[in-house]
Amino acid sequence: MSNENTTVTIHIEEAHKSHRIGWLRAAVLGANDGIVSTASLIVGIAAGEYISVSSQADTENADLELEKKALQENEAYEKEELAQIYEARGIKPELAKEVASQLMEHDALDAHARDELGITEGGKSNPIEAALSSAASFTVGAAMPLLTAWLVPQEQLIISVSVASLLFLAVLGAIAAKAGGASMTKGAIRVTFWGALAMGLTAAVGQLFGVVA
Ligand SMILES: [Zn+2]
């Protein structure tokens, strides 16, 4: 009799434990997914930016090396080339030659870098700076829908996150347009339209796979 009782108790405890483990497992896996996918996105964005700006910087450095060599090997040709650039910008031939001469006496490579290649000291590409600033702005952007999801009731999650994100996009689009001197309304509409399309497509794909699974 007492033996039977013990068996029953053990079974109940095991059932409770496995129930708790199932719930905990799902929670841990969910959190894992959140950490891994968000971290991968941030790292991916930063790495992508680093690579793209690095290759831009490599191109700039290679151009500067070529220019340095050309200046050493054929100064007269380079002076003429620079004078023609100034002429094309509307300076009279005589003065253009004079400007080219004086600028090249001052700093030949700097003059060619700026006026021929369009590379300025302050405007040189910095991969690390670009990667850090993309990662930071990505993180701020990612926090917006996350905060919304955190604050709204569960049952309104999808609609709230969609509407709030489109609002954030509209504001960003307007700011970007203003910074670039374009129409704020057009900027807001364009960014919101593409954002809505991207979210709609993602939702459609999610539903498709949700149904199949
Ligand atoms: Zn040149």
Side-chain angles (χ1 to χ4, degrees), residues 112-141:
H112 281 259
R114 190 184 51 238
D115 291 329
E116 186 190 339
L117 306 173
I119 301 170
T120 53
E121 205 41 59
K124 269 189 91 175
S125 312
N126 183 338
I128 290 178
E129 201 179 275
L132 288 179
S133 75
S134 314
S137 56
F138 178 87
T139 310
V140 172

Side-chain angles (χ1 to χ4, degrees), residues 67 70-71 78 81-82 85 112 116:
E67 196 61 35
L71 282 166
E78 285 294 320
E81 185 188 50
L82 195 59
I85 290 171
H112 281 259
E116 186 190 339

